[in-house]
Amino acid sequence: MDALSEFGGTLVLLLRDVMPIMAILFGFQLFVLRKKIKNPKRILIGMVLVILGLAFFLEGLEMALFPIGRLMAEQLTAPEFIYGADAVIPAQADWTEYYWVYAFAAAIGFATTIAEPALIAVAIKANQVSGGTIKVNGLRFAVAIGVAVGVALGAFRIITGTPLHWYIITGYVLVIIQTTFAPKIIIPLAYDSGGVTTSTVTVPLVAALGLGLAETIPGRSPLLDGFGLIAFASLFPIIAVMAYAQLGALRVRRQTSRTQTHEDNDP
Amino acid sequence: MIAPLKQSFRSLRDSFMDLLPIILVVSFFQFVVLQQPLPNVAKLLAGIFMVMVGLTLFIQGLKMALFPLGEEMAFNFVRAGNLWWLFLFAFTLGFGTVMAEPALILISDKAAEVAAAGGMIDNNETAQASYALGLRLTVALSVGVALLVGVLRILKGWPVQYLIIGGYIGVVIMTYFAPPEIIGIAYDSGGVTTSTVTVPLVTALGVGLASSIRGRDPMLDGFGMIALAVLTPMIFVMAYGILI
C-alpha cells in the first residue's frame, strides 16, 4: 500500500512536470498552426507510455539503487573507512588515501550514464540521422567514459580543495583545440552530449558523493564545495565524444594510407 | 501474438543490459570493498525490475510520441512560413519547461541558502524566497533565449561552435567578476535544465527543422540546441549574481 501511494505521488509529480510541455505543444499546434495532430491516438498512447515509463523508472531507482548508492557514497567517504578505524584523522586531507573514492566516482559515473534515458534518446536519433555511421552504443560508451573521468576528477578537486574554475577553464581550452581538429560532423552532437548526461540517474548519486566528501573533509563546506560535480559531468563527455570521432577518423586514415602504400608496392 | 511478445521480451532484455553496469558496480563495492551483505534483497530485485519495465516503456513512448511530435511540429512551422510564431514557440517551450522543472526548484532553494550564508542577501525567509524565485526566472529566461537562438541558428546555418566557444569565453571572463558563492551554482545550473522529456523533444525539433529547410544538414545543423541550453544558464546566473 505504501509503495503504491508513493508510486502515485511520483506519477502526479511527473504529470505536473509534463503538463506545461504538452500544453505548449498542443496550444501551438491547434491555435497557431491550426493543424490536426496526425495519429492522435498513437501520440496519446506514446505520451502515456513516456510518463508511465518514467514513473516506473524513478520509483524503481528510489526503491533499489538510490538508497544503497547514497549509503555507499557516505561509507566510502567516511574518515573511518579512509584512514582505518583507529588511525588519527589528519587535519589536511591526504588525497592519495582516497583511491576507493576515485574508483567509485568513475565506476558510478560510467554505469549511471549507460542507463540514462535522455542519452539513449539522443543516441537513437543520432544513429537515425547519420544513417548508421554513429553507433548507438559507441556514442553511449564515449559519453560514459567522459562522465567517469569527469566525476573522478571532480572528486579529486573536492578532496584537494583546488578552485573549480581552473579545471573547467582548462577543459574548455581543450574543447576549443579539439573543435579545430575533430571531424566537422561530430561537433554539434559532441556539444549536445554534455547536456544529456545529467538528468535522472546520474545527478542524485553523483550529488550524494559530492555532499559526502564535502561534509567529511576538514575545511570543505557542503554548500560551497558540494556543487560543481555536475559541471564536470557535463564538460568531459564533450571531450570524450570528439576524441571518439578523432580516433575513428585516424583509424580510417591509417587504413587508407596502408592500402595505398600496398598498391604502390605492387608492380 | 508471438511476434510482439518476442519484441517486448527483447526490449526488456536490452533494458536489463543497460542496467547491468550499475548492478555490477554496486555489488562490487558492497561485497568486495565495503564487505557488507546486500540489505533487503527482495525490495532490491523488485526495484530493478521496475526500472527495467520503466526504461522499456519510456523508449517505446519516445519513438511513438516525442520524436514524431517534435519533427512534425518543426515541419509544420516551416511550411506555415511564419517565423515569428516559431521563435515564440521555441522561447515558450524553453521557458515553460524550466519553470516546471522540480530539480531546479531544489537547486535554487539551496542557492538562496548559500547566498544568505555568504551575506549576499538578508538572512530571512522572504529575502531567500525572492532570491530563489529570481534565480528560477533567470534560468527559465536563459533556456527560452537558448532555444530561440538555437532555432535562429538552424535557419541561418551558423556553425554551432562559434556560438558555443564565444559563450564559454564569456563564461570564463564572467567567472572573474561574479561573486564566488554563485560560481558553483551557475556552472551546475546548466546541467539541471535538460530533463528527460525535453531532451528528446528538443532534439527532434532541431533535427526536424534542419531536415525540412533546404541546404541544412540534419547532423551539422540539427544538433546543438541542448548545448546552447546548457551554456546560457551559466551566463545568465552569473549575471544575476553580479547584479544582485
Side-chain angles (χ1 to χ4, degrees):
Chain A
M1 210 52 227
D2 214 32
L4 205 66
S5 71
E6 246 176 59
F7 184 75
T10 312
L11 206 58
V12 170
L13 268 180
L14 269 171
L15 274 175
R16 217 184 63 185
D17 200 15
V18 174
M19 275 326 249
I21 302 177
M22 289 294 104
I24 292 164
L25 286 180
F26 292 123
F28 272 88
Q29 181 82 13
L30 295 176
F31 298 112
V32 177
L33 294 168
R34 299 219 176 82
K35 275 242 157 125
K36 282 222 181 77
I37 293 151
K38 251 189 255 164
N39 259 328
K41 217 168 159 186
R42 196 178 149 83
I43 299 271
L44 196 72
I45 296 172
M47 281 315 299
V48 170
L49 287 182
V50 163
I51 293 170
L52 215 61
L54 274 180
F56 269 113
F57 186 75
L58 292 175
E59 200 50 48
L61 284 177
E62 203 51 67
M63 249 169 90
L65 291 164
F66 284 168
I68 194 171
R70 284 198 201 104
L71 192 69
M72 221 168 249
E74 266 170 47
Q75 287 172 336
L76 285 170
T77 52
E80 298 79 45
F81 173 78
I82 309 256
Y83 300 105
D86 307 316
V88 192
I89 295 158
Q92 187 67 40
D94 179 6
W95 67 270
T96 53
E97 293 291 329
Y98 285 81
Y99 42 87
W100 279 124
V101 173
Y102 307 129
F104 181 70
I108 207 75
F110 182 90
T112 52
T113 305
I114 291 293
E116 198 68 77
L119 177 62
I120 300 178
V122 169
I124 292 175
K125 197 87 240 173
N127 180 266
Q128 285 172 2
V129 171
S130 68
T133 355
I134 291 164
K135 299 275 178 293
V136 174
N137 286 337
L139 184 70
R140 286 168 67 200
F141 263 80
V143 174
I145 288 170
V147 175
V149 173
V151 178
L153 205 61
F156 174 77
R157 180 199 80 84
I158 296 179
I159 291 163
T160 53
T162 32
L164 169 66
H165 57 267
W166 288 3
Y167 294 84
I168 301 294
I169 291 169
T170 314
Y172 283 130
V173 170
L174 202 59
V175 168
I176 293 174
I177 295 170
Q178 276 184 299
T179 302
T180 51
F181 294 108
K184 287 270 164 303
I185 206 86
I186 199 77
I187 290 169
L189 182 65
Y191 285 8
D192 266 4
S193 55
V196 296
T197 52
T198 48
S199 46
T200 30
V201 203
T202 319
V203 170
L205 287 181
V206 164
L209 186 71
L211 216 64
L213 281 174
E215 269 168 4
T216 51
I217 291 173
R220 305 287 173 278
S221 117
L223 286 179
L224 282 180
D225 295 296
F227 288 105
L229 270 181
I230 301 177
F232 275 87
S234 47
L235 168 63
F236 282 82
I238 306 180
I239 297 171
V241 172
M242 282 201 274
Y244 164 69
Q246 282 174 301
L247 282 178
L250 200 71
R251 203 178 304 137
V252 170
R253 210 176 308 144
R254 199 171 284 165
Q255 255 163 16
T256 45
S257 69
R258 194 175 298 152
T259 46
Q260 259 165 7
T261 45
H262 204 70
E263 278 163 14
D264 289 345
N265 291 342
D266 276 342
Chain B
M1 204 50 226
I2 299 291
L5 254 173
K6 229 179 185 172
Q7 180 67 37
S8 39
F9 179 74
R10 192 172 307 142
S11 19
L12 261 181
R13 199 191 54 195
D14 284 348
S15 300
F16 177 73
M17 293 308 284
D18 294 335
L19 283 179
L20 198 60
I22 300 190
I23 298 171
L24 290 178
V25 168
V26 167
S27 335
F28 174 78
F29 276 87
Q30 190 75 356
F31 294 132
V32 180
V33 181
L34 295 167
Q35 293 175 354
Q36 270 158 22
L38 281 176
N40 213 340
V41 178
K43 201 175 167 186
L44 204 68
L45 287 178
I48 288 171
F49 184 70
M50 274 173 77
V51 175
M52 272 166 60
V53 171
L55 203 56
T56 308
L57 292 180
F58 174 79
I59 289 169
Q60 191 59 37
L62 191 81
K63 289 175 181 163
M64 277 172 78
L66 289 181
F67 280 164
L69 207 56
E71 273 172 21
E72 198 191 316
M73 290 203 68
F75 180 68
N76 285 341
F77 270 115
V78 170
R79 246 204 355 202
N82 191 334
L83 294 181
W84 293 108
W85 281 119
L86 176 59
F87 294 148
L88 186 70
F89 171 71
F91 180 84
T92 320
L93 189 66
F95 188 88
T97 52
V98 171
M99 276 312 274
E101 177 66 50
L104 185 66
I105 299 174
L106 216 77
I107 289 232
S108 51
D109 286 345
K110 213 167 239 165
E113 273 173 45
V114 179
M120 286 159 66
I121 54 169
D122 291 337
N123 202 348
N124 60 47
E125 247 169 59
T126 28
Q128 282 191 23
S130 82
Y131 183 85
L133 182 67
L135 198 63
R136 262 175 76 202
L137 280 170
T138 308
V139 177
L141 193 72
S142 69
V143 176
V145 170
L147 294 196
L148 199 153
V149 172
V151 166
L152 187 67
R153 173 204 144 235
I154 295 174
L155 296 176
K156 295 274 185 193
W158 296 331
V160 73
Q161 56 267 39
Y162 297 136
L163 287 174
I164 300 286
I165 290 175
Y168 280 125
I169 290 171
V171 168
V172 170
I173 293 169
M174 284 176 88
T175 303
Y176 286 95
F177 297 102
E181 290 84 2
I182 201 93
I183 292 173
I185 300 157
Y187 282 10
D188 270 2
S189 66
V192 294
T193 53
T194 45
S195 84
T196 316
V197 180
T198 14
V199 165
L201 204 59
V202 167
T203 306
L205 187 75
V207 169
L209 274 178
S211 10
S212 35
I213 299 170
R214 199 174 307 151
R216 297 287 169 273
D217 180 280
M219 245 350 251
L220 273 176
D221 302 298
F223 290 95
M225 296 257 265
I226 310 285
L228 283 168
V230 173
L231 166 71
T232 53
M234 298 193 208
I235 296 176
F236 278 52
V237 169
M238 279 201 268
Y240 181 71
I242 292 171
L243 291 175
I244 292 287

